[in-house]
Amino acid sequence: MPKEQRAVFLSQDEIPTSWYNIQADLPEPLPPPLNPGTLEPMSPEPLFRIFAKELVAQEVSRERWIKIPEEVMEAYRWVPRPTPLMRAYKLEQFLKTPAKIYYKWEGVNPAGSHKPNTALAQAYYNKKQGVERLVTETGAGQWGSALAMSSAYWGLKCRVYMVAASFRQKPGRKIMMETWGAECFSSPSNNTKFGRGLLQKDPNDPGSLGIAISEAIEDTLSDDKTRYSLGSVLNHVLMHQTVIGQEVKKQLEILDVRPDMLVGNIGGGSNFGGFCLPFMGDKLQKKNEIEFVACESKAVPHTTKGKYTYDFGDTAGTTPLLKMLTLGREYKNPPIHAGGLRYHAMSPIISYLIANGHMRSIAFGQKEVFEAGVMFARTEGIIPAPESAHEIKFVIDEAKRCKESGKAKTIVFNNSGHALLDLAAYEAYLSGKLEDWEPTVIAYPSFVK
Ligand SMILES: *Cc1c(COP(=O)(O)O)cnc(C)c1O
C-alpha cells in the first residue's frame, strides 16, 4: 500500500464562508429568463410568489462571493460538513493504472447525497421570510429526503410530489420523508388540477420530473404562506453547492496535488456544478488547464443530443423560459434506475459551458454504468448511487486509457451519494434483468429565440 493518505479531512473551521457565483466570471451574461407570454426578458418580481425573495436575488446576482449566513454555517456544521476527499487506491491497484484517482464523498450525511447543501440554505431563507410550508418535487427521492430533513431542522412544513415510477420503486424514500415529518405524494396526484387531468387519461401514468414540478407549483400558488423549492438546475442551487468544490480545492492543496481532470454526473447540474465551478472560474481566467467532463445517461441524453434553446422547466409549461440544453419538456420518463438523471433539460450554467466548449459531456448506458458501480463497491467499499456510477464508468475508462498510454493523469470526481435506498437497481443488475434504453425520436421545443 502506498503510504499516502486514504482520506483528507478538514476541520469545521474550514467550511467555506461564502458561496462562489460563476456568473461574475462568465465571458458574457447568461441569456436571461423569458416571459413565456411575451418572449421578452422577465423581471424577477413575479417569481417572489414562487420562491423566497433572497433566493430570487441570488438567482440573478452577478456578485462573485455571497456570504453564507451564520445560521446556515451552523446548519452545515450540523449536517455535518466538511466532507472527506478520498483516494481510490484499491480501484487504482485493481485497474493497474498509473492514474491517480480521488473523489469527494458527499454521501456521508443522513440524507445520503449532496442535496442538503442547498436544501438547508433554501429552507433557511424561507423560514427567515416567514414562510410556513415548502412544496417541491422529487425524482429518485433524494431531493425530497434532503428537503424533508432540512424542513425538520428549521421547523417548516414540507410537501413532496414524487415521480410515480420512483414512488413505486423506492418505498423507503417515502418512509424517510414521513419520518422527518414531511408529506409525500405519488405524482401525478389527485391534489392538483394538472395531476387529476393526467390520471383521468392514464391512472398508471409513470409521471416525470416535469409533471411533478407542475404539480408542486400549482400547489404552491394555492396558499399564501407556501413557497416552492427546487433542488437543481437554477443558478442559486449550483451556487449553494460550491461549498463542495471550494473544500476540494483546499484538500488538494493540502496534498499538493493539481488535477488534470474533473468528472461528475449531470442530472440538473447541481452536484457537478458545485464541485467544478470554483475550478472553472479559475480556468476562465486562464489560471488552470483542467479538463471538465460531465457524464449523463444515454436514456436522457440532454447535453449530448439536446438542443441549446429556450424551454420550460416543467411539463405543463408554467415556468419562465430558460435557455438550456433540452430534449423538450414532454420528454417521456425513460425506464432507468438513475432517477436523478431523468430531467429533460440541463441547468443554464452547465448548458452554457458545454454549448460554448468550456466542458464536454458523454453519455453511458445503464448496464455498463452498474458494472462500474459494482467494481467500485468491490474495491472502494462504497455502493455508489446509480447517478454517481455514471462518472465512475468514465473514470474507470479513462484510467484504462492512462494504462495504455502510460500517462499518469490525476483524476478527481464528485461521488454525489450512496445507493443504500436504490438497492433494487443493483439487484436488477446482479440478476441480469437490467436493460439499456435509448430514445428513437426526440420532440425538440420549437422556440426560435
Ligand atoms: C439528485 C442527484 C443527482 C443529480 O442531480 P444534480 O442536480 O445533477 O446533482 C446526482 N447524484 C445524486 C446522488 C443525487 O441525489
Coordinates of all heavy atoms in Angstrom, one line a residue, residues 106-107 111-115 140-143 173 231-233 237-238 241 265-273 302 339-342 346 384-388 391 414-418 422, ligand 1:
E106 N -19.7 12.8 -1.0 CA -20.9 13.6 -0.5 C -22.0 12.7 0.1 O -23.1 13.3 0.4 CB -21.4 14.5 -1.6 CG -20.6 15.7 -1.9 CD -20.5 16.7 -0.8 OE1 -21.6 17.1 -0.3 OE2 -19.4 17.1 -0.4
G107 N -21.8 11.4 0.2 CA -22.8 10.6 0.7 C -22.9 10.4 2.2 O -23.6 9.6 2.8
A111 N -29.1 12.3 4.7 CA -29.9 12.2 3.5 C -29.2 11.4 2.4 O -29.8 11.0 1.5 CB -30.3 13.6 3.0
G112 N -27.9 11.3 2.5 CA -27.2 10.4 1.6 C -26.7 10.9 0.3 O -26.2 10.2 -0.5
S113 N -26.8 12.3 0.1 CA -26.4 12.9 -1.1 C -25.9 14.3 -0.8 O -26.0 14.8 0.3 CB -27.5 12.9 -2.2 OG -28.4 13.9 -1.9
H114 N -25.5 15.0 -1.9 CA -25.0 16.4 -1.8 C -26.2 17.3 -1.5 O -26.0 18.5 -1.2 CB -24.3 16.8 -3.1 CG -25.3 16.7 -4.3 ND1 -25.7 15.5 -4.8 CD2 -25.9 17.7 -4.9 CE1 -26.6 15.8 -5.8 NE2 -26.7 17.1 -5.9
K115 N -27.4 16.9 -1.7 CA -28.6 17.8 -1.8 C -28.8 18.7 -0.5 O -29.3 19.8 -0.6 CB -29.8 17.1 -2.2 CG -29.7 16.6 -3.7 CD -31.0 16.3 -4.3 CE -30.8 16.1 -5.8 NZ -30.3 14.8 -6.1
A140 N -35.8 10.6 -7.9 CA -35.5 9.3 -7.2 C -35.8 9.4 -5.7 O -35.9 8.4 -5.0 CB -34.0 9.1 -7.3
G141 N -36.0 10.6 -5.2 CA -36.4 10.7 -3.7 C -35.3 11.4 -2.9 O -35.5 11.8 -1.8
Q142 N -34.1 11.6 -3.5 CA -33.0 12.2 -2.7 C -33.3 13.7 -2.4 O -33.0 14.1 -1.3 CB -31.7 12.1 -3.5 CG -31.0 10.8 -3.5 CD -31.0 10.1 -4.8 OE1 -32.0 10.3 -5.6 NE2 -29.9 9.5 -5.2
W143 N -33.8 14.4 -3.4 CA -34.1 15.8 -3.1 C -35.2 15.9 -2.0 O -35.1 16.7 -1.1 CB -34.5 16.6 -4.4 CG -35.0 17.9 -4.1 CD1 -36.2 18.4 -4.3 CD2 -34.3 19.0 -3.4 NE1 -36.4 19.7 -3.9 CE2 -35.2 20.1 -3.3 CE3 -33.0 19.2 -2.9 CZ2 -34.8 21.3 -2.7 CZ3 -32.7 20.4 -2.3 CH2 -33.6 21.4 -2.2
R173 N -37.9 5.7 0.4 CA -37.7 7.2 0.4 C -38.9 7.9 1.1 O -38.7 8.9 1.8 CB -37.5 7.6 -1.0 CG -36.2 7.4 -1.6 CD -35.2 8.4 -1.0 NE -33.8 8.0 -1.3 CZ -32.7 8.6 -0.8 NH1 -32.8 9.5 0.1 NH2 -31.5 8.2 -1.2
G231 N -34.5 21.6 -6.3 CA -33.3 21.0 -5.9 C -32.1 21.0 -6.8 O -31.0 20.5 -6.5
S232 N -32.3 21.5 -8.0 CA -31.2 21.5 -9.0 C -31.5 22.6 -10.0 O -32.3 23.5 -9.8 CB -31.2 20.1 -9.7 OG -30.0 20.1 -10.5
V233 N -30.8 22.6 -11.1 CA -31.0 23.4 -12.3 C -30.7 24.9 -12.2 O -30.0 25.5 -13.0 CB -32.4 23.2 -12.9 CG1 -32.6 24.0 -14.2 CG2 -32.7 21.7 -13.2
V237 N -29.0 27.3 -6.9 CA -28.8 26.0 -6.4 C -27.3 25.5 -6.6 O -26.6 25.0 -5.7 CB -29.8 25.0 -7.0 CG1 -29.5 23.6 -6.5 CG2 -31.2 25.4 -6.8
L238 N -26.9 25.8 -7.8 CA -25.5 25.4 -8.2 C -24.5 26.2 -7.3 O -23.5 25.7 -6.8 CB -25.2 25.7 -9.6 CG -25.5 24.6 -10.6 CD1 -27.0 24.2 -10.7 CD2 -24.9 24.8 -12.0
Q241 N -24.1 24.8 -3.9 CA -23.3 23.6 -3.9 C -21.8 23.9 -4.0 O -21.0 22.9 -3.9 CB -23.8 22.7 -5.0 CG -25.2 22.1 -4.9 CD -25.3 21.1 -3.8 OE1 -24.4 20.7 -3.1 NE2 -26.6 20.7 -3.5
N265 N -21.4 13.6 -12.6 CA -22.6 13.3 -13.3 C -23.5 14.5 -13.3 O -23.5 15.4 -12.5 CB -23.4 12.1 -12.6 CG -24.0 12.5 -11.3 OD1 -25.0 13.1 -11.2 ND2 -23.3 12.1 -10.2
I266 N -24.4 14.6 -14.4 CA -25.3 15.7 -14.5 C -26.7 15.3 -14.7 O -27.1 14.6 -15.6 CB -24.9 16.7 -15.7 CG1 -24.5 15.9 -16.9 CG2 -23.7 17.6 -15.2 CD1 -24.4 16.7 -18.2
G267 N -27.5 15.6 -13.7 CA -29.0 15.4 -13.7 C -29.6 16.7 -14.1 O -30.1 16.9 -15.2
G268 N -29.5 17.6 -13.2 CA -29.9 19.0 -13.5 C -28.6 19.9 -13.4 O -28.7 21.1 -13.8
G269 N -27.5 19.3 -13.0 CA -26.2 20.0 -13.0 C -25.8 20.5 -11.6 O -24.7 21.2 -11.6
S270 N -26.5 20.2 -10.5 CA -26.1 20.9 -9.3 C -24.9 20.3 -8.6 O -24.0 21.0 -8.1 CB -27.3 21.0 -8.3 OG -27.5 19.7 -7.7
N271 N -24.8 18.9 -8.6 CA -23.6 18.4 -7.8 C -22.3 18.7 -8.6 O -21.3 19.1 -8.1 CB -23.8 17.0 -7.4 CG -23.4 15.9 -8.5 OD1 -22.3 15.6 -8.7 ND2 -24.4 15.5 -9.2
F272 N -22.4 18.5 -10.0 CA -21.2 18.7 -10.8 C -20.8 20.2 -10.8 O -19.7 20.6 -10.7 CB -21.4 18.1 -12.2 CG -20.1 18.2 -13.0 CD1 -18.9 17.6 -12.5 CD2 -20.1 18.7 -14.2 CE1 -17.7 17.7 -13.2 CE2 -18.9 18.8 -15.0 CZ -17.7 18.2 -14.4
G273 N -21.9 21.0 -10.9 CA -21.7 22.5 -10.9 C -21.0 22.9 -9.6 O -20.0 23.6 -9.6
H302 N -29.5 14.7 -22.4 CA -29.9 16.1 -22.5 C -28.8 17.0 -23.1 O -29.1 18.0 -23.7 CB -30.5 16.6 -21.3 CG -30.0 16.1 -20.0 ND1 -30.7 16.0 -18.8 CD2 -28.8 15.6 -19.7 CE1 -30.0 15.5 -17.9 NE2 -28.8 15.2 -18.4
G339 N -32.7 7.8 -11.2 CA -33.8 8.7 -11.2 C -33.4 10.2 -11.2 O -34.0 11.0 -11.8
G340 N -32.2 10.4 -10.6 CA -31.7 11.8 -10.6 C -31.2 12.3 -11.9 O -30.9 13.5 -12.0
L341 N -31.1 11.4 -12.9 CA -30.6 11.9 -14.2 C -31.7 11.9 -15.3 O -31.4 12.0 -16.4 CB -29.5 10.9 -14.7 CG -28.3 10.7 -13.8 CD1 -27.2 9.9 -14.5 CD2 -27.7 12.0 -13.3
R342 N -33.0 12.0 -14.8 CA -34.1 11.8 -15.7 C -34.7 13.2 -16.2 O -35.7 13.2 -16.9 CB -35.1 10.9 -15.2 CG -34.8 9.5 -15.3 CD -35.9 8.5 -15.0 NE -36.4 8.6 -13.6 CZ -36.8 7.5 -12.9 NH1 -36.8 6.3 -13.5 NH2 -37.2 7.7 -11.7
M346 N -31.1 20.8 -18.9 CA -29.8 21.0 -18.1 C -29.7 22.4 -17.6 O -30.2 23.3 -18.3 CB -28.6 20.6 -19.0 CG -27.3 20.7 -18.4 SD -27.1 19.9 -16.7 CE -27.8 18.3 -17.0
P384 N -22.1 3.0 -4.8 CA -22.4 4.4 -5.3 C -23.8 4.5 -5.8 O -24.4 3.6 -6.4 CB -21.4 4.6 -6.4 CG -21.1 3.3 -7.0 CD -21.2 2.3 -5.8
A385 N -24.4 5.7 -5.7 CA -25.8 6.0 -6.2 C -25.7 5.7 -7.7 O -24.6 5.9 -8.4 CB -26.1 7.4 -6.0
P386 N -26.8 5.2 -8.3 CA -26.8 5.0 -9.8 C -26.3 6.2 -10.6 O -25.6 6.1 -11.6 CB -28.3 4.7 -10.1 CG -28.8 4.2 -8.8 CD -28.1 4.9 -7.7
E387 N -26.7 7.4 -10.1 CA -26.2 8.6 -10.8 C -24.7 8.7 -10.7 O -24.0 8.9 -11.7 CB -26.8 9.9 -10.1 CG -28.3 10.0 -10.2 CD -29.1 9.2 -9.1 OE1 -28.4 8.5 -8.3 OE2 -30.3 9.3 -9.0
S388 N -24.1 8.5 -9.5 CA -22.7 8.6 -9.3 C -21.9 7.6 -10.2 O -20.8 7.8 -10.6 CB -22.3 8.5 -7.9 OG -23.2 9.2 -7.1
E391 N -20.3 8.7 -13.5 CA -18.9 9.2 -13.7 C -17.9 8.2 -13.3 O -16.8 8.2 -13.9 CB -18.7 10.5 -12.8 CG -18.6 10.3 -11.3 CD -19.9 10.7 -10.6 OE1 -20.9 10.8 -11.3 OE2 -19.8 10.9 -9.4
N414 N -16.7 13.8 -8.4 CA -17.6 14.0 -7.3 C -18.5 12.8 -7.1 O -19.3 12.5 -7.9 CB -18.4 15.3 -7.5 CG -19.1 15.7 -6.3 OD1 -18.6 15.7 -5.2 ND2 -20.4 16.1 -6.4
N415 N -18.3 12.1 -6.0 CA -19.2 11.0 -5.7 C -20.4 11.5 -4.9 O -20.3 11.8 -3.7 CB -18.4 10.0 -4.8 CG -19.0 8.6 -4.8 OD1 -20.2 8.4 -5.3 ND2 -18.3 7.6 -4.2
S416 N -21.5 11.7 -5.7 CA -22.6 12.5 -5.1 C -23.4 11.8 -4.1 O -24.2 12.5 -3.4 CB -23.4 13.0 -6.3 OG -23.9 11.9 -7.1
G417 N -23.4 10.5 -4.0 CA -24.2 9.9 -3.0 C -24.1 8.4 -3.0 O -23.5 7.8 -3.8
H418 N -24.8 7.8 -2.0 CA -24.8 6.3 -1.9 C -26.1 5.7 -2.4 O -27.1 6.4 -2.6 CB -24.5 5.8 -0.5 CG -25.6 6.1 0.5 ND1 -26.8 5.6 0.4 CD2 -25.6 6.9 1.6 CE1 -27.6 6.0 1.4 NE2 -26.9 6.9 2.1
D422 N -31.3 2.5 -3.1 CA -31.5 2.1 -4.5 C -31.1 0.7 -4.8 O -30.6 0.4 -5.9 CB -30.7 3.1 -5.4 CG -31.3 4.5 -5.4 OD1 -32.5 4.6 -5.7 OD2 -30.5 5.4 -5.2
Ligands
LIG1 C1 -30.1 14.3 -7.4 C2 -28.9 13.6 -7.5 C3 -28.1 13.7 -8.7 C4 -28.4 14.5 -9.9 O1 -28.7 15.9 -9.7 P1 -27.7 17.1 -10.0 O2 -28.5 18.3 -9.7 O3 -27.3 17.0 -11.4 O4 -26.6 16.9 -9.0 C5 -26.9 13.0 -8.7 N1 -26.5 12.2 -7.7 C6 -27.2 12.1 -6.6 C7 -26.7 11.2 -5.5 C8 -28.4 12.8 -6.5 O5 -29.1 12.6 -5.4

